[in-house]
Amino acid sequence: MSSNENPIWSYVEAKREEYIGLSDRVFDMPEIAYTETRSCAEHTAMLKAEGFRVQERIAGIPTAVMGEAGEGGPVIAILGEYDALPGLSQAPGLAEPQSIDATGYGHGCGHNLLGSAAMLAATAVKDWLAAEGIAARVRYYGCPAEEGGAAKTYMVREGLFDDVDIAITWHPASFNGVDDARSLANMRIDFTFTGKAAHAAAAPELGRSALDAVELMNIGVNYMREHMPDDARVHYAYLDAGGPAPNVVQAKATVRQLIRSRDLQGLGDLLARVRAIGDGAALMTGTQVTSKVHSAVSNLVGNRPLEEAMQAEFDALGPVPFDDEDVTFAREIRETLTKADIADTFQRLSMKPDYDLALCDFVAPLDRPFAGGMGSTDVGDVSWAVPTVQARVATCAMGTPFHTWQLTAQGKEPFAHKGMEHAAKVMAATARSVIANEVLLANAKKVHAAHLAEFPYSCPIPAETRPPVAAE
Ligand SMILES: [Zn+2]
C-alpha cells in the first residue's frame, strides 16, 4: 500500500467479488416499486452473512431492511436501493435493444449497482471499525421504491433516521463528481370528480360530466403553467376517464397531477393553486371534487462540509480506473446515442462536449455552475432529517441517458462493476473521515440545523397516506 492510499479502500477491495455477485443477481431479478421481494431477500441475506444486526420490514414496508454494526459513537447511515423500472427489460452486454424479461422490467436506473455499492461501503466501514476498535456505528438502509414510491419519505416519517448523525449515498452516472444536491420537491395527487350519469343523447341535461371536469382542470393547469417559476413542473395522467361509453355521461373520473417545485414552500404554493383549479372545474361542471395525495418527496438539502469532505476523498481516489476493454463496449453503446444525448451530460457539467470520450476520465469539481434540468428523489427527505451527501460515479458510457435500454444494457459490464466498487470506496472513505473528525461532524450538523431553523420541515406525505404495499 502506498502512503497516499486510504486504509479503508482495502476493506472494499477485499469483498468486491461478493458484491459484484449481489449486483448481478439483483440485475437478473428486476422488480419494481414495493414488490422487490427477492431483491430485498438477497440484500437481507447478505447483511446477515456479514454479521449486521438486521431489522426487517422497517417502516411497515415488507421490502425495506436495515442492518447495523459497531457500538457507540456516531451513527453513519449508508442508503441503498434495488428497484427496477417497467418497460426497460434489456439483454446485458448487447448494444441493440432486445427485451429478455417476461415482465418487461429492467434495471434502467442502475439500482442493482446502487444497492450493492452502498452495502459494500457499509461492510467496509464495519470491518474497519472492528479491526481498529473504533467506537461508531454504521447502518445500511435497503430502501425500496425510489422510482415514484417515495419509500425513504415514509422511512423518515416513521423516525428511522432520528438517531442517525449523517447519511451517505450515491447514484450511478456517466460522470464522476459529488452530487450538487439539486432536486425538485414533488407531489402526486389524485383528483376525483363525481357527477351524474345520464343518457348522453336522450337526456343530457340530467347529467353532470366528471370527464368534462377533468378536462377543464387540465385546461386550467395549462393556463397556470405560464405563470409558474421556471423550474416548476406540472404533469398529468388520466387514471380514470369515466369509461368507454361516449353515450353515457361520465359520472366519475380521476386525474393524477404531478406537481414539482424547487422546494417545499414552492410546492405548497403550487399545490394550493392546483387545488383551486380543481374546485373551479367542479364549480363549472356541477360536480364534486375530492383529492388524495398518492406520494410526495422533498427537495434535496445540500451540506457543504460533507460535500467538501466527499470531494477530497473523491479527488484522492481519482476517476474510475477503466481500461481499453471497457472502452470497446462503451464505444458500441455510444454509437447508439445521439449527439444531443452526449452534449446534455457535458452541458450539465458546464463542459464543452467531447464526443470521443467513451468513459469518464475525470472527477468534476465541486463548484461547477448549475446548468439546469432537475428530477426528484426520495433522498430529499433524508437530507431534511440528517446531513446528507451523495456521489455520482461513472458506471456507463459518457452521455448515456438514464431510464433507457442503453443504461440497462451496461448494468453487468466490468466497467459498471468497477464504478460500483469505486462508489463504495468514495462512500466508505467519506464515512471514515466523518468518524475520525469530530469538527467535520459538528460543522455538518451546524449547517443542517441552521437550514432547518430557517426552513422548517414537515413531511409532504399526509399522515393518512400509507405506503402502497400489498395488504397481508
Ligand atoms: Zn435512480
Side-chain angles (χ1 to χ4, degrees):
M1 189 193 293
S2 74
S3 60
N4 59 358
E5 280 196 11
N6 189 315
I8 210 158
W9 297 346
S10 63
Y11 292 94
V12 173
E13 286 162 12
K15 290 184 173 169
R16 67 185 296 271
E17 293 304 329
E18 287 98 307
Y19 285 86
I20 287 171
L22 176 66
S23 175
D24 286 356
R25 289 196 299 282
V26 170
F27 181 96
D28 288 335
M29 53 176 77
E31 299 169 303
I32 61 166
Y34 292 115
T35 65
E36 310 92 336
T37 313
R38 293 168 65 205
S39 305
C40 182
E42 288 283 348
H43 277 238
T44 304
M46 197 75 158
L47 282 170
K48 288 178 177 170
E50 287 287 359
F52 285 91
R53 303 182 290 273
V54 177
Q55 287 179 25
E56 297 179 54
R57 310 173 60 86
I58 53 174
I61 302 171
T63 54
V65 64
M66 191 272 279
E68 185 189 76
E71 300 294 339
V75 178
I76 311 294
I78 303 183
L79 313 177
E81 298 166 8
Y82 30 70
D83 57 323
L85 284 156
L88 288 174
S89 171
Q90 166 64 29
L94 194 67
E96 59 185 68
Q98 187 182 305
S99 173
I100 51 160
D101 189 276
T103 62
Y105 302 160
H107 274 284
C109 204
H111 294 183
N112 56 309
L113 299 162
L114 201 170
S116 206
M119 204 198 303
L120 176 52
T123 299
V125 174
K126 166 181 74 72
D127 293 347
W128 168 73
L129 290 173
E132 301 288 324
I134 292 168
R137 282 167 287 165
V138 62
R139 289 185 188 161
Y140 169 75
Y141 285 81
C143 310
E146 192 280 329
E147 301 289 357
K152 294 186 199 72
T153 310
Y154 292 108
M155 291 160 73
V156 169
R157 195 178 76 179
E158 296 305 309
L160 292 177
F161 294 89
D162 287 357
D163 63 345
V164 167
D165 285 280
I166 67 150
I168 300 173
T169 188
W170 77 295
H171 201 287
S174 72
F175 65 94
N176 300 299
V178 175
D179 189 82
D180 56 5
R182 288 188 173 94
S183 77
L184 299 172
N186 81 24
M187 177 176 287
R188 289 169 165 81
I189 178 166
D190 301 339
F191 290 86
T192 296
F193 292 87
T194 307
K196 191 168 173 296
H199 194 297
E205 74 280 8
L206 299 180
R208 296 291 179 270
S209 172
L211 179 59
D212 288 356
V214 164
E215 294 196 79
L216 284 166
M217 179 172 196
N218 287 335
I219 289 168
V221 171
N222 282 339
Y223 275 96
M224 184 185 75
R225 281 198 178 84
E226 189 188 344
H227 309 286
M228 308 190 306
D230 280 351
D231 50 8
R233 302 279 186 270
V234 186
H235 328 286
Y236 65 92
Y238 281 75
L239 298 193
D240 175 6
N247 57 343
V248 178
V249 173
Q250 289 83 358
K252 198 160 165 288
T254 302
V255 62
R256 175 168 294 171
Q257 304 285 350
L258 168 45
I259 307 165
R260 300 188 202 247
S261 179
R262 81 170 70 104
D263 55 27
L264 285 175
Q265 169 79 45
L267 185 67
D269 294 348
L270 267 186
L271 174 63
R273 293 171 72 187
V274 171
R275 282 188 189 282
I277 289 169
D279 291 343
L283 194 61
M284 282 188 280
T285 51
T287 59
Q288 276 83 49
V289 63
T290 57
S291 63
K292 187 173 185 300
V293 174
H294 175 75
S295 72
V297 302
S298 301
N299 56 299
L300 280 168
V301 178
N303 190 281
R304 184 74 190 187
L306 290 184
E307 285 154 12
E308 286 175 358
M310 181 177 264
Q311 182 77 33
E313 298 301 341
F314 216 149
D315 288 337
L317 190 58
V320 185
F322 299 122
D323 61 25
D324 290 349
E325 247 174 82
D326 296 326
V327 169
T328 305
F329 184 63
R331 283 210 178 108
E332 286 179 39
I333 289 288
R334 193 182 56 190
E335 293 304 310
T336 73
L337 306 179
T338 65
K339 274 192 122 177
D341 289 333
I342 297 168
D344 183 69
T345 296
F346 285 98
Q347 277 154 10
R348 279 165 194 274
L349 297 168
S350 296
M351 291 170 68
K352 196 169 161 292
D354 175 356
Y355 297 106
D356 290 328
L357 184 65
L359 287 165
C360 183
D361 62 357
F362 58 85
V363 178
L366 189 56
D367 291 313
R368 44 187 195 261
F370 177 58
M374 284 184 279
S376 304
T377 169
D378 62 1
V379 177
D381 289 276
V382 178
S383 75
W384 284 84
V386 292
T388 301
V389 67
Q390 299 188 70
R392 297 265 167 176
V393 182
T395 61
C396 59
M398 201 71 198
T400 306
F402 277 57
H403 297 197
T404 60
W405 68 263
Q406 287 97 330
L407 197 280
T408 314
Q410 299 171 77
K412 288 175 89 174
E413 284 304 298
F415 59 68
H417 296 151
K418 286 177 191 168
M420 190 276 292
E421 179 187 354
H422 211 72
K425 286 182 179 173
V426 173
M427 290 187 284
T430 304
R432 177 178 174 268
S433 71
V434 172
I435 291 166
N437 186 343
E438 278 175 28
V439 177
L440 169 58
L441 178 57
N443 283 342
K445 289 182 158 191
K446 200 166 94 185
V447 166
H448 190 259
H451 180 268
L452 268 190
E454 192 176 352
F455 305 102
Y457 172 75
S458 69
C459 181
I461 301 181
E464 66 271 17
T465 300
R466 311 295 308 164
V469 299
E472 312 213 358

